[in-house]
Amino acid sequence: MRKPLFLSLVPTVFVGAFLIYPLILLVVRFPQIDLLRVLSMNSSVVRFTVFQALLSALLTMFLGIPGAYLVARTRLPTAIKSLVKSASMVPFVLPGISMAVGFLLTFGNNGLLNTLLSVFNIKVRILYTFTAVLIGHVFYNFPLFIRIVGDAFERIDKAILEMASLEGVSKFKRFWYIELPLVLPAIGSAFALSFLYCFTSFAVVLILGGIKYSTIEVSIYMYLKVLLDFESALALTFVQMIFVALASFIFLTLSARTGEFSGETLKERHPKWAYLYVVAVVFFVFLPLFMSSLGGFLRYGGSFTFQNFKGLFSQTVEWIIGADVKSIIFFSLILSALASVIVCTIGLITSYISVRHNNLISVLTNLPISISPATMAFGMILFTLLPLPVKLGAIYTLISLPLAHSSLQNLWRNLPREIEEAGKIDGCGALQSLFFITLPIFKKELLGIFTFSMAIALGEITATVILSEGRFTTVSVATYKLFSTRHIGEAQALNSILMWIVLLLFFVAEHFTERPSR
Amino acid sequence: MRKLLFILALILVVSSFSQELVVYTYSSFASGIAQKVIPIFEKQYNVKVKLLSFGDAGNVLARMILEKDQPKADVVVGLDQPLLRKAISEELLMQFVPESISKVKDRSLLDPQGYGTPYDFGAIALVYNTEKITNPPKSFRDLLDKRFARKLVVQDPRTSSTGLSFLLWTIAVFGEDGFLDYWKSLRTSILTITPGWDEAFSMLETGEADIMVSYATDGAYSYHEYGSLKYLPVVMEEGAFVQIEYAAIVKGTKNVEMAKKFLEFLLSESFQSEVPLNQWMYPVIEIELPEAYRYASKIEKVLPFDYDLFDRNGKKWLEEWAKVMIAK
């Protein structure tokens, strides 16, 4: 890995060919872009988008950092930690409708919360307020902090902290002056990512916010899909791209200081607030998640039933989807696994370059966040040379790349150069050093990213439906077909199955890679 | 000899190619009614029909716009009034009026420009939970009543075709100058705005909302599929807003003859009789409706709507709607 220039060609060519080039094709096809008109018509939407994203990211940060600390540094039982780490990733990859059902069943009128509170004759209305939007965003972006910041906490050398304690430094001071500066770059990455994801949020804001709230992404969707006004959609896409590039750049410069530290992790007794924290997380993250997995049991009319699952494997459903459910699940798993291998490979390269050479590449890897899957898909239609699976695979890869990149950055930051150098002295080539030194150290995180991108690919629906031509069926296309022919129950059953698969993937990945406690 | 065989084979391949009719349509058409009726057409004319679907009708038209220079489809199925006009103004379609059009009794369903062949139609309605609402709204004015405060869920017209139809319905009733004021008053009745039909329906199901914007045939559907009359449709007394679905021949197709036959087929009895229970829309020719349609709203008075206005001002309406409803 000594030739950064040559190496950086790989991600640049990938993003260039599969993200920028299709976009250029669209611009060439629709050149009359009137940025000013579109901006003035959407000025209030742009303002609100920035405001809610900042607030959401801040709130996620305040809730996320303690969580990251708990998972990384305390002696809470491993099973609980793996559950927190794995289950918290699931919302991120859930289709919007599952999330909506989860929130309705938890916080809604007849939801779990109100059923429990009705004993005391209290009724609360959380949904359809700005608070609901914020809760929704915390629910979604929370795992970013657990993963990225948690990892940084884990890698603070025990020796430093113990030394500080010997000198009689209070826990608070130790946190403020030693730990916080050390994990700051990771906090920066996580904050940047959750800001960007909230910035381009779509379903959460519409469903949970009620009237009054909307983001740029919704306007893009309107121009693109309802008005077929590609010019205006492209203009707003550029606005989003500029914001995302600018935001990534700012966060990069803020969190650019990198340090290297390694050694053993200090494991402490969990503080008292841990209980309170776990309760809050269960309430806001796991409860809606659990309830949304029950969506599949919802009978037409509202009561609970197993019928939907029976129906899912019936002849009628096979006929609607055009294939049987089992083979579709199998096929989807293969395609998404392939895309995930590419995500890991490119993510390894970009994160290496960003940490060891030039951090600017992070602006490039964050760009996919700013371009909606629908825009990507329409651009890909113009890219006629590519076969369909490649188009889909490329889009899946692009969607997961920002998170893969940020998660891996930490590992490179914390990988002592001495190890690599020792390898070199012993005559280890670049490839050897990659396979025998780096990859084994990164194994855990890579597996996490692999499962994450697999889940994203499995759940991606917009671009897949546009490109699949209806003949190339994945789980998400099947769900779409069921919803559109009004087989709501069966569609939600399939969504629930998807969710369990994803949960299982995360849990297995987490379990297999949990390092033995020392 | 070998050369001759080769040429023969080539001709065979080419001719068999031209015997394939490529149809672009939306997902639910492809995985619903098409599965029942396409085999009949294929047998009748000894042709292979290749159905390609891209989600909703908006996606279909978007793809056609992108592929304009090299059209791949012979026929497009599923454009409603605004999409049909957009397709015509983008010069994507070929003019054609099938002979069987005489079977369509209601002349207001026809495309005056002679591009689209109507094959079914439906109406937007408000669907309410009969267990919670005993006195459903009868008119748009009625819907503003206090008893419906925060009971209604509508789809965002910027993301949902159902939502867009509802917005156009209010414009048909209150006019270009009045609809925004109506929406301002409607805000107290609206619980939330969802991105699509699915989310709105899940709100009705979980008891979150009591009324949603949906279709006039919903009662028939739930009676037929679930034997339930829990959710029933009501069409506002100001008049119905009718959504017509058209099929058309794609400009530049080499399969003009077969494409024409396909459009004739859409008006045949074998196709039209499958419309009510598969499309959950009304057929365009005279056909006896199934029993379940007792629970579909009757469409008595149809509101006229000037789609020229939509072409000119549709974007402005949506942007203004967003300004009134969103991000204050």
Side-chain angles (χ1 to χ4, degrees):
Chain A
M1 296 227 175
R2 262 168 296 174
K3 301 178 187 116
L5 241 167
F6 172 71
L7 259 183
S8 59
L9 267 180
V10 179
T12 316
V13 167
F14 189 90
V15 174
F18 298 122
L19 190 77
I20 310 291
Y21 178 65
L23 205 63
I24 293 175
L25 288 176
L26 278 176
V27 175
V28 170
R29 179 79 178 68
F30 305 100
Q32 277 128 356
I33 293 173
D34 187 353
L35 204 63
L36 287 179
R37 193 203 89 88
V38 175
L39 258 184
S40 76
M41 279 318 283
N42 291 279
S43 57
S44 51
V45 173
V46 173
R47 268 200 311 275
F48 175 73
T49 307
V50 178
F51 169 71
Q52 62 83 17
L54 262 179
L55 207 59
S56 303
L58 275 172
L59 201 67
T60 316
M61 183 173 81
F62 287 127
L63 282 168
I65 293 176
Y69 171 79
L70 284 184
V71 167
R73 291 273 304 282
T74 59
R75 292 195 209 97
L76 281 176
T78 325
I80 293 186
K81 285 189 194 171
S82 328
L83 191 71
V84 170
K85 273 189 103 169
S86 48
S88 66
M89 287 304 278
V90 179
F92 210 87
V93 297
L94 271 189
I97 176 81
S98 304
M99 183 277 309
V101 170
F103 273 89
L104 293 179
L105 290 176
T106 316
F107 300 116
N109 239 345
N110 303 331
L112 193 65
L113 180 65
N114 274 321
T115 315
L116 292 178
L117 287 178
S118 66
V119 180
F120 311 101
N121 249 331
I122 309 172
K123 194 160 183 127
V124 286
R125 266 287 196 209
I126 298 179
L127 299 179
Y128 324 117
T129 55
F130 189 53
T131 320
V133 175
L134 295 178
I135 293 176
H137 280 160
V138 169
F139 168 80
Y140 266 100
N141 293 304
F142 182 82
L144 296 176
F145 281 87
I146 302 268
R147 291 232 152 217
I148 299 174
V149 181
D151 221 76
F153 267 124
E154 219 166 48
R155 279 159 199 275
I156 296 178
D157 194 342
K158 190 178 175 179
I160 303 176
L161 299 178
E162 279 170 348
M163 217 141 40
S165 300
L166 281 179
E167 301 277 339
V169 176
S170 76
K171 262 198 161 174
F172 176 76
K173 271 193 171 169
R174 193 188 78 188
F175 175 77
W176 193 252
Y177 290 109
I178 301 174
E179 292 169 87
L180 196 61
L182 287 179
V183 296
L184 209 57
I187 293 180
S189 317
F191 184 84
L193 266 190
S194 55
F195 172 80
L196 295 177
Y197 280 118
C198 295
F199 191 84
T200 54
S201 166
F202 182 85
V204 178
V205 177
L206 276 186
I207 302 174
L208 300 181
I211 45 179
K212 274 166 64 181
Y213 305 113
S214 171
T215 52
I216 301 178
E217 190 75 2
V218 177
S219 298
I220 292 180
Y221 196 90
M222 162 182 85
Y223 289 123
L224 204 55
K225 300 260 334 263
V226 175
L227 294 167
L228 299 168
D229 175 358
F230 286 90
E231 279 92 355
S232 303
L234 282 172
L236 276 188
T237 300
F238 290 131
V239 172
Q240 244 181 208
M241 280 176 84
I242 291 167
F243 264 103
V244 167
L246 211 67
S248 335
F249 185 75
I250 292 171
F251 294 124
L252 281 179
T253 24
L254 285 181
S255 61
R257 280 171 301 141
T258 55
E260 289 165 26
F261 19 90
S262 67
E264 279 184 40
T265 313
L266 178 71
K267 296 278 180 187
E268 300 168 309
R269 243 189 73 78
H270 49 85
K272 287 211 183 63
W273 52 263
Y275 299 107
L276 196 74
Y277 190 84
V278 170
V279 169
V281 168
V282 165
F283 193 73
F284 288 111
V285 180
F286 293 131
L287 218 51
L289 191 63
F290 173 72
M291 294 312 275
S292 82
S293 78
L294 296 184
F297 297 100
L298 214 56
R299 186 205 299 275
Y300 181 88
S303 52
F304 283 85
T305 177
F306 280 99
Q307 202 57 44
N308 301 334
F309 289 92
K310 251 194 230 159
L312 195 55
F313 293 94
S314 72
Q315 205 57 44
T316 333
V317 163
E318 194 175 320
W319 188 67
I320 290 165
I321 302 175
D324 75 293
V325 172
K326 273 174 262 164
S327 59
I328 286 172
I329 293 179
F330 180 73
F331 171 72
S332 307
L333 285 175
I334 301 261
L335 183 71
S336 52
L338 281 176
S340 308
V341 171
I342 306 175
V343 173
C344 289
T345 315
I346 296 184
L348 262 177
I349 297 173
T350 55
S351 54
Y352 172 80
I353 297 170
S354 77
V355 171
R356 292 287 151 87
H357 297 282
N358 194 343
N359 209 348
L360 267 180
I361 200 160
S362 306
V363 176
L364 187 77
T365 56
N366 277 342
L367 267 191
I369 301 180
S370 64
I371 300 167
S372 18
T375 316
M376 287 193 205
F378 286 128
M380 283 291 190
I381 291 176
L382 290 175
F383 201 163
T384 41
L385 276 177
L386 289 184
L388 182 57
V390 176
K391 290 180 183 178
L392 283 177
I395 290 180
Y396 297 158
T397 307
L398 286 167
I399 296 176
S400 304
L401 189 59
L403 190 110
H405 173 79
S406 303
S407 312
L408 288 170
Q409 266 183 322
N410 262 315
L411 300 196
W412 288 112
R413 272 184 203 126
N414 301 337
L415 182 75
R417 274 179 209 241
E418 296 91 66
I419 296 188
E420 280 177 89
E421 272 155 23
K424 262 183 223 162
I425 291 168
D426 287 339
C428 210
L431 266 183
Q432 271 175 309
S433 126
L434 176 72
F435 279 104
F436 296 111
I437 300 174
T438 322
L439 288 189
I441 297 177
F442 285 12
K443 192 179 76 187
K444 182 181 166 190
E445 195 63 23
L446 279 175
L447 213 79
I449 290 164
F450 179 83
T451 36
F452 170 83
S453 13
M454 226 175 128
I456 287 264
L458 280 173
E460 204 294 319
I461 195 157
T462 316
T464 315
V465 165
I466 293 176
L467 287 171
S468 74
E469 306 190 338
R471 299 190 300 168
F472 186 83
T473 305
T474 65
V475 175
S476 58
V477 174
T479 319
Y480 184 90
K481 285 180 177 173
L482 287 172
F483 266 122
S484 74
T485 48
R486 291 227 191 157
H487 289 75
I488 314 289
E490 288 85 352
Q492 286 187 343
L494 190 57
N495 258 346
S496 292
I497 291 182
L498 174 73
M499 208 174 129
W500 296 325
I501 292 178
V502 169
L503 197 61
L504 194 74
L505 278 176
F506 280 128
F507 197 72
V508 167
E510 195 56 45
H511 188 75
F512 272 116
T513 53
E514 189 55 43
R515 270 170 287 181
S517 47
R518 281 174 274 198
Chain B
M1 188 60 196
R2 214 178 247 179
K3 233 179 199 171
L4 199 71
L5 269 176
F6 176 69
I7 291 169
L8 264 175
L10 201 73
I11 290 170
L12 254 171
V13 167
V14 169
S15 61
S16 68
F17 248 85
S18 64
Q19 279 312 300
E20 186 181 67
L21 189 74
V22 180
V23 177
Y24 275 13
T25 186
Y26 49 85
S27 290
S28 63
F29 189 92
S31 44
I33 190 169
Q35 306 240 28
K36 288 193 176 154
V37 296
I38 294 298
I40 303 176
F41 179 78
E42 286 180 324
K43 224 176 185 174
Q44 204 171 335
Y45 294 101
N46 191 27
V47 62
K48 176 95 193 71
V49 175
K50 188 169 155 191
L51 271 177
L52 297 179
S53 63
F54 315 100
D56 57 21
N59 283 347
V60 175
L61 184 55
R63 181 174 280 248
M64 288 175 64
I65 292 174
L66 292 170
E67 288 176 349
K68 191 177 179 180
D69 300 331
Q70 289 141 326
K72 293 196 182 101
D74 301 309
V75 173
V76 54
V77 174
L79 304 175
D80 63 2
Q81 298 100 313
L83 291 179
L84 178 72
R85 299 181 64 93
K86 175 86 181 170
I88 295 171
S89 69
E90 292 276 339
E91 298 175 351
L92 296 168
L93 306 179
M94 190 186 106
Q95 258 175 331
F96 172 67
V97 180
E99 277 170 33
S100 338
I101 204 83
S102 54
K103 290 200 272 182
V104 179
K105 290 285 171 292
D106 183 353
R107 310 308 286 171
S108 70
L109 294 174
L110 306 187
D111 167 26
Q113 302 185 67
Y115 288 89
T117 302
Y119 62 89
D120 64 18
F121 70 100
I124 297 291
L126 291 175
V127 168
Y128 64 99
N129 183 340
T130 51
E131 285 166 17
K132 297 229 188 117
I133 292 190
T134 44
N135 185 9
K138 292 188 184 60
S139 65
F140 277 99
R141 288 266 163 249
D142 216 10
L143 197 56
L144 303 178
D145 193 277
K146 270 200 211 87
R147 70 182 194 272
F148 301 120
R150 285 167 80 76
K151 293 261 193 291
L152 171 69
V153 47
V154 299
Q155 299 85 355
D156 195 318
R158 300 170 302 160
T159 54
S160 150
S161 59
T162 321
L164 180 62
S165 295
F166 185 65
L167 178 71
L168 298 185
W169 195 5
T170 61
I171 295 172
V173 172
F174 298 100
E176 243 193 310
D177 305 320
F179 80 99
L180 283 175
D181 286 330
Y182 178 74
W183 277 89
K184 273 181 206 160
S185 327
L186 191 63
R187 280 195 293 212
T188 48
S189 301
I190 296 177
L191 176 67
T192 193
I193 296 176
T194 60
W197 185 92
D198 306 343
E199 293 87 356
F201 184 72
S202 66
M203 293 193 147
L204 205 64
E205 257 195 336
T206 51
E208 197 59 24
D210 298 338
I211 312 174
M212 76 179 276
V213 176
S214 191
Y215 296 91
T217 52
D218 275 19
Y221 174 80
S222 60
Y223 177 74
H224 184 263
E225 293 288 313
Y226 303 100
S228 154
L229 291 172
K230 186 171 176 186
Y231 310 119
L232 285 181
V234 49
V235 170
M236 306 282 90
E237 64 190 15
E238 282 91 344
F241 185 79
V242 168
Q243 209 177 10
I244 308 166
E245 294 195 294
Y246 297 94
I249 300 178
V250 177
K251 195 175 171 179
T253 168
K254 292 188 183 65
N255 261 332
V256 179
E257 284 318 305
M258 197 49 80
K260 285 180 176 173
K261 286 189 183 119
F262 189 81
L263 294 196
E264 298 280 359
F265 175 74
L266 292 182
L267 294 174
S268 72
E269 221 159 285
S270 23
F271 180 88
Q272 289 289 317
S273 60
E274 294 290 346
V275 164
L277 294 183
N278 286 287
Q279 290 284 88
W280 295 99
M281 300 281 261
Y282 294 93
V284 292
I285 70 173
E286 291 288 325
I287 269 186
E288 200 188 337
L289 289 172
E291 191 218 345
Y293 270 65
R294 274 189 295 156
Y295 302 105
S297 301
K298 294 277 165 299
I299 302 173
E300 277 144 6
K301 181 181 160 201
V302 173
L303 282 173
F305 188 79
D306 183 1
Y307 281 94
D308 278 333
L309 273 181
F310 178 77
D311 289 348
R312 258 178 284 135
N313 300 334
K315 182 152 86 178
K316 204 183 81 200
W317 292 339
L318 281 167
E319 285 164 342
E320 279 172 355
W321 176 89
K323 274 195 173 170
V324 167
M325 302 299 287
I326 287 173
K328 272 273 139 54

